[in-house]
Amino acid sequence: MNFSKFLAGKLLLTSELPLTKPTIDYLFRTNQSKQLPSITTKYGRHQCNRCGNRNQQLFADIPCARCDHPHLYCRNCIQTGRVLQCDILIVWNGSKPAWPLQTQPCHWTGTLTPPQQKAADAIEQTIEYKQKELLIWAVCGSGKTEMLFPAITKAITESKRICIATPRADVVRELFPRLKQAFPDTEIEALYADSPDRTDKGQLIISTTHQLIRYQEAFDVMIIDEIDAFPFHHDKTLAYLTTRACKKDATSIYLTATPRPEHKQKISHKKLPVQFVPIRFHGQPLPIPQLKIEINLRKKLQKGTESKALQQFLTTRPESRQLLIFVPKIPLLKKVAERYQAIAVHAEDPDRKEKVEQFRQKKIDILVTTTILERGVTFPSVDVVILDAGHHVFDEAALVQIAGRAGRSPDDPGGNVLFIHQGKTNAMEDAIAQIKMMNKKGKKL
């Protein structure tokens, strides 16, 4: 086994190592690996060295079968496996991994548009000059993935290790086959819970941000897709894990269509370099959402009563397009789906992956969903409706992202977007203003 490829840049519990005890002992004895305590205590305060947690309320005692007395464990990272204070973390201390030499790793034969090329050049130059960070502010459907290809190509030819991190598993599943096709000779991994595409020796890794808990100083290039998305911008642990997974001189590239206020503030103060891509790859503007007010909408949805605005829309929309209906809460999914003879999907749905794929293959005409499909998925020809668009879960970023599901195909760049609400919100107005602003910038190109 090539231990350097398997262990370099990793931070693993012994239970996560598919190695025998004699092999692990050999790695320690030859100083190729070293041990770190899993949980340290200083001045009566605990820290989990696996996830960085310092919140004392997230530590607790639990009986330990190995030691016959209770031990501390960290509740913050319990979802990726329990870590006890008597556990150790293993890090690689040997030679650097040698990645296969490639002179032409990219097999993609497409052509970038001028705005895409400008962004691609900015990304490549940021990495080449080892600058710290760059934000790509690109509209939904601008072709962000293809913009990354030149920089990934250069990084691979220079034997660098690259990570594309994203908050959601759906995005990982969508990106993996596209990157496998573009870089067929590169070892690529897709990491998410129960991923079948884990090889533990990838040079190019596509991962949910949660899975970065097993990495430390691993990557030369860190690309964070959808940096504004939940749960990344809500959970400080994920930002910590992403930073820890980078080498000290790594370059971070941030991708978003909807930067958060803190990003906009840093941009305005020239503390965060930015490159705009205000136009979709097919050159057509973003669909502007239409607002439709409906009195007592929430009561109707709770009772499973028909929305007059939605029914009117259904009678006039093109039959050639599929329909995505977004609702704010899981309990509404079944009621709305039954009313309109549709299929419902949400984050905890065990058949989520299959349903999304059936919709993509046009085996399903209407799909009712929560914000889990607000971003990271592409369907060629859909209309989009948000029921109760004034609900607090639909903030400005969510509304822009959801509207961005429509009109993504050059064969059908229109697409209808309808916000059905019982009272207009600032988020709706701000979302429409942002879409119009990007269309105005795009028109200049």
Side-chain angles (χ1 to χ4, degrees):
M1 177 184 289
N2 187 331
F3 291 117
S4 64
K5 281 188 180 180
F6 179 70
L7 293 175
K10 299 284 184 66
L11 183 71
L12 301 172
L13 297 166
T14 50
S15 59
E16 295 173 326
L17 282 171
L19 302 175
T20 63
K21 188 176 184 304
T23 301
I24 296 172
D25 290 341
Y26 165 76
L27 293 175
F28 289 147
R29 192 169 60 252
T30 56
N31 201 34
Q32 294 182 77
S33 288
K34 59 182 181 180
Q35 302 180 28
L36 295 177
S38 59
I39 298 174
T40 52
T41 302
K42 189 174 183 180
Y43 304 121
R45 297 189 65 80
H46 314 300
Q47 176 177 329
C48 176
N49 294 321
R50 188 172 184 239
C51 70
N53 169 43
R54 295 184 181 181
N55 184 342
Q56 303 305 295
Q57 295 180 339
L58 294 177
F59 292 98
D61 286 320
I62 193 172
C64 178
R66 290 174 292 184
C67 305
D68 294 326
H69 61 83
H71 267 314
L72 275 177
Y73 79 100
C74 177
R75 293 191 287 121
N76 189 55
C77 54
I78 191 71
Q79 287 185 326
T80 46
R82 181 185 292 140
V83 54
L84 292 163
Q85 194 168 26
C86 62
D87 287 327
I88 60 169
L89 294 167
I90 298 174
V91 295
W92 180 247
N93 197 41
S95 59
K96 295 180 180 179
W99 306 109
L101 181 64
Q102 297 187 62
T103 55
Q104 296 290 336
C106 186
H107 290 211
W108 183 64
T109 57
T111 303
L112 296 176
T113 64
Q116 285 179 317
Q117 188 64 58
K118 190 175 180 180
D121 292 342
I123 297 169
E124 194 171 349
Q125 288 169 14
T126 301
I127 294 171
E128 182 178 357
Y129 296 116
K130 294 188 176 181
Q131 296 169 339
K132 193 64 179 175
E133 56 188 359
L134 171 69
L135 184 139
I136 302 295
W137 185 347
V139 297
C140 300
S142 60
K144 291 190 290 290
T145 303
E146 288 75 17
M147 294 178 214
L148 297 173
F149 288 173
I152 293 174
T153 298
K154 185 172 181 61
I156 292 172
T157 58
E158 294 177 355
S159 295
K160 291 181 177 179
R161 197 176 196 184
I162 311 104
C163 178
I164 302 177
T166 176
R168 299 187 176 181
D170 296 285
V171 181
V172 177
R173 284 191 283 263
E174 176 121 344
L175 288 177
F176 181 65
R178 293 168 64 184
L179 286 161
K180 283 286 288 182
Q181 185 176 17
F183 299 93
D185 302 319
T186 302
E187 185 69 53
I188 304 177
E189 289 185 79
L191 305 183
Y192 53 90
D194 302 319
S195 169
D197 302 302
R198 184 189 297 271
T199 65
D200 290 312
K201 55 182 180 179
Q203 182 179 4
L204 172 55
I205 291 176
I206 314 158
S207 175
T208 59
T209 46
H210 290 84
Q211 294 295 318
L212 296 180
I213 195 169
R214 299 184 178 90
Y215 288 87
Q216 177 175 283
E217 295 187 25
F219 302 106
D220 302 283
V221 179
M222 174 64 71
I223 300 165
I224 307 179
D225 193 17
E226 310 288 3
I227 193 172
D228 63 293
F230 180 87
F232 188 84
H233 78 282
H234 277 288
D235 191 342
K236 292 182 180 179
T237 297
L238 298 179
Y240 167 80
L241 297 179
T242 305
T243 301
R244 188 184 66 186
C246 294
K247 293 180 180 178
K248 287 181 172 59
D249 61 347
T251 296
S252 294
I253 306 296
Y254 312 128
L255 308 177
T256 181
T258 48
R260 295 284 167 179
E262 58 267 28
H263 300 136
K264 292 179 182 178
Q265 188 175 36
K266 289 179 73 176
I267 291 169
S268 65
H269 292 160
K270 300 189 183 304
K271 293 182 178 180
L272 177 60
V274 64
Q275 180 69 50
F276 286 98
V277 185
I279 192 167
R280 290 181 154 180
F281 76 94
H282 52 55
Q284 299 301 310
L286 297 159
I288 297 174
Q290 302 300 307
L291 301 180
K292 188 72 175 179
I293 192 167
E294 182 160 343
I295 306 302
N296 295 324
L297 174 63
R298 288 177 183 169
K299 287 184 179 179
K300 291 179 181 178
L301 294 178
Q302 289 290 344
K303 293 179 181 179
T305 307
E306 184 173 85
S307 162
K308 291 183 179 179
L310 178 55
Q311 186 57 41
Q312 183 181 7
F313 176 78
L314 290 174
T315 59
T316 57
R317 77 180 187 93
E319 294 183 0
S320 58
R321 293 191 191 124
Q322 295 168 280
L323 178 62
L324 271 174
I325 301 177
F326 287 82
V327 296
K329 296 180 179 179
I330 290 177
L332 295 177
L333 283 171
K334 186 176 180 181
K335 294 177 182 179
V336 174
E338 287 179 350
R339 164 63 63 181
Y340 298 102
Q341 298 180 326
I343 300 297
V345 67
H346 58 90
E348 304 304 321
D349 189 336
D351 300 320
R352 166 180 159 190
K353 181 180 176 182
E354 289 74 18
K355 288 178 180 178
V356 172
E357 187 57 35
Q358 287 175 352
F359 188 72
R360 183 175 284 113
Q361 295 175 3
K362 298 190 175 183
K363 295 179 181 178
I364 296 172
D365 185 43
I366 302 176
L367 190 64
V368 185
T369 182
T370 57
T371 54
I372 193 63
L373 293 185
E374 75 176 36
R375 62 180 76 216
V377 290
T378 298
F379 307 110
S381 183
V382 297
D383 288 328
V384 174
V385 172
I386 302 179
L387 285 172
D388 194 8
H391 193 281
H392 67 85
V393 304
F394 297 121
D395 60 12
E396 178 190 348
L399 293 171
V400 172
Q401 290 283 354
I402 290 170
R405 298 312 99 201
R408 298 174 76 95
S409 170
D411 298 324
D412 185 16
N416 296 298
V417 180
L418 181 64
F419 292 172
I420 302 177
H421 62 96
Q422 64 176 35
K424 190 163 58 173
T425 63
N426 289 337
M428 280 186 262
E429 291 184 333
D430 292 343
I432 292 172
Q434 184 181 151
I435 291 170
K436 288 181 177 179
M437 179 269 289
M438 294 304 260
N439 280 346
K440 187 176 181 180
K441 282 179 175 287
K443 192 174 182 180
K444 293 178 180 177
L445 298 177

